[in-house]
Amino acid sequence: MTSLRVFIPFALGYFLSYLMRVINAVIAPDLVRELGLTAADLGLLTSANFLAFAVAQLPLGILLDRYGPRRTEAVLLLFAALGAFLFATAASAPGLIAGRALIGLGTSACLMAAFKAYGVWFPSGRIPFVNGLQMAAGGLGAVAGTVPVEMALTVTDWRGIFFALGAAAAVSAAVLFFVVPRRHGTETVPGTMTEQMAGIARIFTSPQFWRIAPMTVASQSMFLGTQSLWSGPWLADVAGLERDAVANHLLFIAVAMVCGFLGMGAIAERLGRIGVRTIHVAFTGMTVFAVVQIVLVFQWTGAVLPAWMLFGFFGTAGILSYAALPRGFPPELAGRVITGLNVLTFAGAFAAQWGIGVVINLWPAASGGGYAPEGYQAAFAMMLALQFLALAWFLVYRKG
């Protein structure tokens, strides 16, 4: 029962976080039509979520280690509620950007706080599987951000949806604060701020960290930046799908992502019992993820849905690094280890999501509306090259 009191509130928070992260993939046509956004504009306002998320990660690690995941996430979710309300009332692109940034700040703890809490409440052998369940909750949020959002748009507009999301964020904050049990000795970590910062320095000078981080960042940047925005426009502009079909495809991609979170965690746990390291499972999954993207780079549209579902499934492999990396550090550094990795991941996601839009903008818009397929091809090829370089680095860098 205690395990459920820990898991369910954090899972609900991450469900909401992922829903707010991916919703722009569906409402993008409405934003473009109402505000006349270019591809770069759309990428910037959507990726503002990732930038604020990244900026928050290092102080978040200190907060998690000093004050605990329950209080930290509950307070931050109130900022997400404020951001959703601001986004819903914005009359211009700067207002939308500010709203998305506040949402990013407010949801910045939804995954890392859960990982920190699970590390306290669950045995270490169960962590990859429980982390996978947490990610699956986020995947369900991604599912909710597809066809259900498209259906909601028939009874309200995107502004009404964000008002509802703001209210849900406030409720989630209350649930976390009042339902998650306290545990003596885990809410505050002794030590001065100087000592806390020294812990961050120790992480960022660790060879082990720099062996694993590049491939994780490269893989997750492509996955997060594309799945939360550019998958929808790609399906419309490259595959030529109508809006309803795009929403349906996004739904299947999100379902595949849920299966990936559950499946990769379960696979890592089982292989761990026979001595296979979690980081090697992660490397294999990220390699397959990169190979799948070759289909998207060459725009082979004969099997669009299977290709994108494989993208959704294997794109989850990078999350295994968050279970593997802290094992090489003392437990009191766990919060800062995972947030240290996360600051790079979400800075990369910001750069990838905006950068893809910038590259797409290098080609003139298609005559019938939408963006040029050649732009997507160049942008996706650039991201794929970075992933293969980072995977090669993991193989050759042996100091960690």
Side-chain angles (χ1 to χ4, degrees), residues 52-128:
F53 206 107
V55 169
Q57 291 306 299
L58 290 182
L60 174 62
I62 295 174
L63 291 172
L64 288 175
D65 285 338
R66 290 183 67 88
Y67 302 109
R70 178 185 65 90
R71 288 186 289 179
T72 301
E73 183 174 340
V75 171
L76 284 174
L77 274 174
L78 297 178
F79 287 92
L82 178 62
F85 293 142
L86 179 59
F87 194 93
T89 56
S92 62
L96 294 175
I97 292 171
R100 287 288 293 184
L102 273 175
I103 291 171
L105 172 64
T107 58
S108 62
C110 287
L111 183 58
M112 298 297 100
F115 284 177
K116 172 72 173 179
Y118 299 158
V120 171
W121 287 96
F122 293 90
S124 60
R126 297 289 292 170
I127 295 301

Side-chain angles (χ1 to χ4, degrees), residues 215-347:
M215 69 173 180
T216 305
V217 171
S219 180
Q220 288 294 285
S221 294
M222 177 59 180
F223 180 58
L224 294 170
T226 302
Q227 190 267 339
S228 62
L229 176 62
W230 294 114
S231 52
W234 191 98
L235 289 167
D237 299 337
V238 177
L241 301 181
E242 297 296 330
R243 181 161 180 166
D244 288 347
V246 168
N248 287 329
H249 278 59
L250 292 175
L251 172 63
F252 283 110
I253 296 168
V255 169
M257 183 175 68
V258 173
C259 294
F261 286 137
L262 292 172
M264 296 301 294
I267 291 168
E269 181 183 22
R270 288 184 177 274
L271 290 179
R273 296 174 186 171
I274 60 173
V276 179
R277 295 175 60 193
T278 298
I279 195 59
H280 293 151
V281 181
F283 170 79
T284 302
M286 284 184 272
T287 301
V288 176
F289 176 61
V291 171
V292 167
Q293 292 168 54
I294 295 173
V295 176
L296 305 181
V297 169
F298 285 97
Q299 300 181 349
W300 295 328
T301 57
V304 170
L305 183 57
W308 276 100
M309 289 184 70
L310 288 172
F311 181 95
F313 185 91
F314 286 103
T316 65
I319 205 64
L320 293 175
S321 298
Y322 290 84
L325 190 55
R327 297 176 185 177
F329 295 87
E332 63 270 17
L333 292 179
R336 280 161 286 175
V337 171
I338 57 179
T339 53
L341 180 58
N342 224 30
V343 68
L344 299 180
T345 294
F346 279 87

